[in-house]
Amino acid sequence: MSTGASNPEYVNARVRSRRASLFADEDYRKLVRMGPSEIARFMEETEYEREINALGTRFSGVDLIEYALNQNLARHFHDLLDWADGRLYDLIARYLRKFDVWNLKTILRGIYTDSAPEEVRTDLIRAGELDDRTIDRLLEVDTIEDAIEVLDRTIYHDPLEVAYEEYEESHALVPLENALDRAFYERLLADIRGLDTPGSTAPQEGPRALYIEFLQAEIDFRNARNALRLARSGADLDPAAYYIDGGVLFTESELRQLVNRYDDLVDHIAANRRYGDRLSGALDRLRDADSLIQFEHAVDAALLEYADTLSSIYPVSVSAVLSYILAKEREIENIRAIARGREVGLSENEIEEELVIL
Amino acid sequence: MMETLEASNVALQTLNDPGAAAAIAVGLAALASGYAERGIGAAAVGAMAEDDDMFVPGLIMTVLPETLVILALVVVFIA
């Protein structure tokens, strides 16, 4: 929690400048034709220079790209938290906690598979709110129970504690990971309404209302994605375990009913007036093709476009930061997809299908 | 009671004095441009931090609201 007035003008100017320097379509087209080492060379000439140089001696090829991307992401998002003051900081930190969740999941998986701390360390993206000391301590522990103990007094402790009992029975990490996701998403919207004056209701208009709407969209898309995956896989899993509260698209019981009927599920998303139009193209493809990946990419693109719209409606608010965060993440994932795709020898067209380009 | 009356009398007298009224007008204009420059200045510094070439545009943008004060100064001469 940070005190003092927020400084959206300053943060906005910096963020928009960085947003403008992200890779453009032509860059991706160039990258798709390159091999891993060429991509690394190309990145060295862009803003990834610092990371590539720092890691170049230790890694090579795709690993180098991957770690450089992660570090760059962490550096940029850390900058965001550095710049922002006051309420703006809270709003940004709230969203960046998803990297905490990512890190915790990675660490738990590391413990589960008995990986060496060093290996796990390189996979972390230190862009979240948890400080380095806590993360380093987490890397040292040997059992999941101890890890949960280290997280005492963070927002993840209690949900993990509950999930741990389930874990002991099933010995699968799923309950723990769901608990982390849920802790993150439920915190995303909780107490945002009373951020200024306790007890006030959700704002109906203005940047804050749209911020909430954006977060709801994020939750809805996450729910939709999970539901579709469950419906597709036909696995006999309890959809309620994956349900995240706070969205407007599904209620828990609706999701439970819909998850077994794939077509109805798609119709339900299409019928929603908030998302139906925005995702119509993707939904059509989803109906007749069987490419869930296409839908997920469409959802990502829709969310990105949505954040962009918000940032032009309210130029001086947190929206521009959100849109930058999403765009940066997309860039990282695109480059990673290209590098990995080239490594395993996918054709250019196949790789291009994996990219999310607006 | 008497004091408030006196105070409002003083205020009325001040407004009747053209020089004082003009001074208030200029003062308010300066305050307003200061407020406007606050946001622009913050954004300009942010832009400069990312890109040094933004120094000149940033400087120009920052002092644009200063025209408010200059226009308000006209009031002083015609008052």
Side-chain angles (χ1 to χ4, degrees):
Chain A
M1 189 69 83
S2 163
T3 50
S6 55
N7 51 351
E9 295 95 352
Y10 177 73
V11 177
N12 255 284
R14 298 203 74 160
V15 158
R16 278 172 197 271
S17 161
R18 295 221 170 159
R19 168 96 219 244
S21 63
L22 293 179
F23 285 178
D25 286 4
E26 307 91 74
D27 293 321
Y28 286 130
R29 241 163 261 141
K30 265 188 257 165
L31 282 171
V32 165
R33 289 196 204 91
M34 295 178 186
S37 50
E38 279 173 288
I39 295 177
R41 284 259 320 132
F42 181 85
M43 283 165 65
E44 208 182 328
E45 281 154 25
T46 63
E47 52 139 358
Y48 295 94
E49 186 189 355
R50 199 196 294 183
E51 283 78 16
I52 293 276
N53 284 337
L55 295 164
T57 48
R58 279 193 290 151
F59 304 102
S60 66
V62 184
D63 285 343
L64 173 62
I65 295 170
E66 178 117 30
Y67 297 141
L69 288 174
N70 283 353
Q71 280 206 4
N72 187 271
L73 188 77
R75 176 162 66 89
H76 279 289
F77 289 174
H78 207 84
D79 283 349
L80 291 181
L81 291 178
D82 253 6
W83 300 333
D85 280 328
R87 218 188 60 212
L88 192 63
Y89 176 92
D90 289 330
L91 294 181
I92 298 173
R94 200 176 273 275
Y95 194 73
L96 289 182
R97 278 196 198 120
K98 78 167 157 200
F99 293 102
D100 284 336
V101 171
W102 160 268
N103 286 343
L104 290 177
K105 278 186 189 172
T106 313
I107 291 172
L108 288 181
R109 263 179 235 161
I111 298 171
Y112 189 69
T113 55
D114 273 331
S115 308
E118 272 317 306
E119 271 171 51
V120 179
R121 194 188 299 268
T122 44
D123 284 329
L124 299 181
I125 305 174
R126 298 186 186 220
E129 210 188 17
L130 287 179
D131 54 7
D132 284 355
R133 252 187 47 219
T134 315
I135 290 181
D136 286 337
R137 269 175 67 203
L138 278 172
L139 284 169
E140 299 305 321
V141 300
D142 295 322
T143 66
I144 288 177
E145 204 170 4
D146 290 343
I148 296 174
E149 210 50 51
V150 174
L151 287 172
D152 190 24
R153 279 199 288 188
T154 65
I155 57 169
Y156 311 104
H157 180 261
D158 293 344
L160 279 177
E161 193 104 283
V162 176
Y164 185 72
E165 287 166 22
E166 224 177 300
Y167 163 78
E168 277 196 315
E169 284 168 25
S170 61
H171 275 277
L173 280 179
V174 181
L176 292 172
E177 294 184 346
N178 282 342
L180 284 172
D181 273 338
R182 206 121 15 100
F184 165 66
Y185 279 108
E186 275 162 18
R187 267 309 171 97
L188 210 51
L189 281 171
D191 69 318
I192 188 158
R193 296 175 177 115
L195 217 59
D196 291 331
T197 43
S200 64
T201 49
Q204 291 305 308
E205 53 185 30
R208 287 268 303 290
L210 285 173
Y211 179 71
I212 292 175
E213 203 179 310
F214 170 81
L215 296 183
Q216 281 171 342
E218 166 114 12
I219 291 174
D220 280 335
F221 289 162
R222 175 73 43 178
N223 270 334
R225 197 178 303 199
N226 285 344
L228 284 167
R229 279 190 192 160
L230 280 176
R232 260 297 149 74
S233 69
D236 189 26
L237 290 165
D238 182 15
Y242 296 88
Y243 177 75
I244 302 157
D245 199 23
V248 293
L249 189 55
F250 302 107
T251 63
E252 192 167 344
S253 57
E254 268 174 345
L255 192 71
R256 200 189 292 266
Q257 283 165 10
L258 288 168
V259 81
N260 295 320
R261 290 172 298 159
Y262 182 74
D263 290 332
D264 291 352
L265 183 65
V266 178
D267 285 338
H268 182 81
I269 302 172
N272 188 286
R273 75 193 144 82
R274 219 193 252 185
Y275 308 117
D277 292 340
R278 254 181 233 145
L279 292 172
S280 56
L283 287 167
D284 284 343
R285 248 172 286 145
L286 199 61
R287 255 190 213 115
D288 35 55
D290 48 6
S291 157
L292 200 54
I293 292 176
Q294 293 258 319
F295 174 75
E296 293 189 3
H297 286 172
V299 163
D300 284 341
L303 204 58
L304 191 55
E305 215 171 301
Y306 190 41
D308 275 348
T309 323
L310 287 192
S311 76
S312 37
I313 298 177
Y314 292 102
V316 186
S317 68
V318 71
S319 320
V321 183
L322 286 180
S323 118
Y324 170 70
I325 293 177
L326 282 180
K328 182 78 190 170
E329 275 185 287
R330 214 78 340 268
E331 175 178 289
I332 300 281
E333 260 162 50
N334 282 343
I335 299 176
R336 182 180 300 149
I338 293 174
R340 291 273 176 221
R342 294 304 288 184
E343 190 195 23
V344 298
L346 291 181
S347 74
E348 282 163 27
N349 285 337
E350 278 171 315
I351 295 177
E352 257 167 42
E353 274 189 8
E354 291 298 314
L355 303 182
V356 180
I357 302 173
L358 278 188
Chain B
M1 193 63 194
M2 283 303 283
E3 280 141 23
T4 34
L5 267 180
E6 244 168 67
S8 54
N9 270 341
V10 171
L12 276 177
Q13 269 167 16
T14 323
L15 280 180
N16 283 334
D17 176 7
I24 291 175
V26 175
L28 286 177
L31 216 60
S33 52
Y35 178 73
E37 280 166 23
R38 183 199 72 107
I40 303 172
V45 170
M48 282 179 223
E50 288 297 317
D51 181 1
D52 289 339
D53 294 346
M54 290 301 288
F55 180 70
V56 175
L59 199 68
I60 294 173
M61 291 296 169
T62 310
V63 298
L64 270 188
E66 212 59 46
T67 51
L68 263 182
V69 190
I70 297 170
L71 288 179
L73 275 179
V74 175
V75 176
V76 176
F77 295 115
I78 59 172

